[in-house]
Amino acid sequence: MIVSEYVRGLGNNYVRIRELALPDERKYQYCIMKRGGITGLLPFEVRYIDSDAYMYYDITSRQNISTLYSKKPLDRNWVVSFFSSMKRIRNEAVRFLLDPSNLIWNPGNVYQDLKTGNFGYLYVPYLDEDNGFSEMVDFIVGHVDYGDEELVKCVYLIAEQYKSGGDAYIDEKIYSDVDELKNPVSAEKKTAPSEEQDPGEKAAPEPDRSSDMKQIYSCSETIGDEFTDFWERPVKLRPEEKKSGKENEEETKSGGIISFFSRIRNKDRKLRKEYEFESSAEPGVAEEIRYSDAESPEDEDSEGTVFVDLSADDGIRRLNGENGECLRVLNGESVVIGKKGEDADLVIDEKEISRMHARIFLKDEDYYIEDLNSTNGTFKNGVRLKPYEQKKLSNGDEIKLAAKKLIFT
């Protein structure tokens, strides 16, 4: 199992992996990696510390996808982009006579540039351990957008086929399965008349899509009354109502699949609602937070800011600005702080702040601050955190994001 850790340099952030034995840097894979210039591979160098050797990879201005997509789903565009990038980097490795099985795939060690969206990968010369691709498959299955039925079916197919076929499936079939997701026919394109079509002419009837659904599962041996996913949990695929004979068989093959994924989505929504309810309430209290008279919305100036009394500990944790204004009430949820709204929960629009700068989260009844590989650093009471380092917060702690100060109360 690959064990990585994060370190800060003078102007860069790195992830490093310790070599189990001193490397022979004259070997080809080390030479070609130190030479650099391979598109998609993170810059690499070997450093020696106290007679131990470490492989350093530059991850400045990048975010690992485990953190980046911890709270938002992986949509169709992301899945297509990721597997296209995967195909390119494997081909690039082969072009430079590198073994593609030495690429690292676990989601904590695959990085994405927040500005360009490009992926960056770690390559470990002469790797003799698991490269983590099964972890990546599990991550995609767990974070895929369950609102996109075709995407869900494709992802589950990939997981099932990889479990049975291993690396041979990657070499032979995985990319063609993902190609099913490319260039989907939008509803507008289906109904809108083409440029050559007479505007008065009726649009052609919508084609039957059931055959498309079956094609997605063309690599599976059977599509019957049972579908066994990669977790080895048999799931019955049956229609809403009992039917018999040929009619029941046909519905099991088509509508039953749709019913299966519909149940998954409904269960997912239910779990999310329950989680949101639990996380928004105090432990053991199933009611809304009550405002004191000083904080009552009725007494608040609609154009002003509510100031809180920091001397009283009411059990509710907050992030306050330097002047005492409450910027965020912490209700147990993870809060990402950054300068871009699509990536951050608390937006601080200053140029020194990274897109995803830091995260505050609850663990074992305590709140922690974590640096998210920020460019200008995260400080707790004046001490700078390493990339992805986590520190427990106490009442009154000062959090500094670049030059911006926050107070945890």
Side-chain angles (χ1 to χ4, degrees), residues 98-111:
L98 297 173
D99 185 352
S101 64
N102 290 356
L103 288 160
I104 305 302
W105 294 105
N106 61 297
N109 282 320
V110 174
Y111 295 84

Side-chain angles (χ1 to χ4, degrees), residues 262-290:
S262 177
R263 290 198 298 274
I264 290 178
R265 289 200 309 273
N266 291 336
K267 183 178 180 180
D268 181 65
R269 292 193 191 100
K270 181 180 178 183
L271 290 174
R272 292 190 186 195
K273 287 181 180 178
E274 291 176 354
Y275 172 77
E276 290 172 359
F277 173 78
E278 291 174 1
S279 64
S280 63
E282 297 180 48
V285 181
E287 61 181 20
E288 296 181 358
I289 298 174
R290 301 289 184 180

Side-chain angles (χ1 to χ4, degrees), residues 293-347:
D293 292 339
E295 298 175 303
S296 174
E298 288 80 6
D299 297 335
E300 179 187 346
D301 182 354
S302 60
E303 298 297 328
T305 303
V306 176
F307 284 81
V308 296
D309 182 4
L310 303 183
S311 62
D313 188 354
D314 55 7
I316 300 172
R317 294 294 173 233
R318 303 174 176 87
L319 279 179
N320 302 313
E322 291 183 76
N323 298 322
E325 69 275 19
C326 180
L327 301 179
R328 181 86 178 198
V329 175
L330 304 174
N331 291 322
E333 77 279 15
S334 173
V335 176
V336 174
I337 307 171
K339 68 179 178 183
K340 292 295 181 182
E342 62 269 22
D343 297 316
D345 303 305
L346 175 57
V347 177

Side-chain angles (χ1 to χ4, degrees), residues 181-390:
L181 298 174
K182 294 181 180 179
N183 303 320
V185 180
S186 66
E188 293 182 3
K189 192 171 182 180
K190 289 179 187 176
T191 57
S194 65
E195 295 180 1
E196 299 179 358
Q197 181 181 350
D198 184 357
E201 184 180 349
K202 293 184 178 180
E206 183 177 345
D208 181 13
R209 309 306 298 177
S210 61
S211 59
D212 293 348
M213 179 182 65
K214 294 179 182 179
Q215 289 175 5
I216 293 180
Y217 281 86
S218 60
C219 295
S220 301
E221 293 183 0
T222 59
I223 305 175
D225 291 335
E226 285 195 37
F227 173 82
T228 305
D229 64 11
F230 75 104
W231 300 104
E232 293 186 347
R233 294 195 298 265
V235 181
K236 288 287 185 179
L237 298 181
R238 55 180 180 271
E240 294 284 336
E241 300 178 357
K242 284 282 186 178
K243 297 185 180 181
S244 60
K246 186 175 180 181
E247 183 180 4
N248 184 38
E249 181 182 354
E250 292 299 320
E251 184 167 347
T252 302
K253 291 182 179 180
S254 57
I257 298 291
I258 296 175
S259 176
F260 167 57
F261 287 106
S262 177
R263 290 198 298 274
I264 290 178
R265 289 200 309 273
N266 291 336
K267 183 178 180 180
D268 181 65
R269 292 193 191 100
K270 181 180 178 183
L271 290 174
R272 292 190 186 195
K273 287 181 180 178
E274 291 176 354
Y275 172 77
E276 290 172 359
F277 173 78
E278 291 174 1
S279 64
S280 63
E282 297 180 48
V285 181
E287 61 181 20
E288 296 181 358
I289 298 174
R290 301 289 184 180
Y291 288 89
S292 66
D293 292 339
E295 298 175 303
S296 174
E298 288 80 6
D299 297 335
E300 179 187 346
D301 182 354
S302 60
E303 298 297 328
T305 303
V306 176
F307 284 81
V308 296
D309 182 4
L310 303 183
S311 62
D313 188 354
D314 55 7
I316 300 172
R317 294 294 173 233
R318 303 174 176 87
L319 279 179
N320 302 313
E322 291 183 76
N323 298 322
E325 69 275 19
C326 180
L327 301 179
R328 181 86 178 198
V329 175
L330 304 174
N331 291 322
E333 77 279 15
S334 173
V335 176
V336 174
I337 307 171
K339 68 179 178 183
K340 292 295 181 182
E342 62 269 22
D343 297 316
D345 303 305
L346 175 57
V347 177
I348 302 177
D349 191 10
E350 297 183 9
K351 61 182 181 179
E352 296 86 2
I353 302 294
S354 298
R355 289 170 177 254
M356 294 177 68
H357 197 107
R359 179 172 73 108
I360 293 178
F361 63 97
L362 184 65
K363 181 174 74 172
D364 299 331
E365 300 183 356
D366 290 307
Y367 280 96
Y368 287 75
I369 177 73
E370 177 185 20
D371 178 79
L372 296 180
N373 193 29
S374 63
T375 300
N376 293 308
T378 301
F379 301 79
K380 180 203 165 191
N381 295 332
V383 178
R384 182 169 182 170
L385 277 64
K386 297 177 183 177
Y388 299 106
E389 184 179 6
Q390 301 173 358

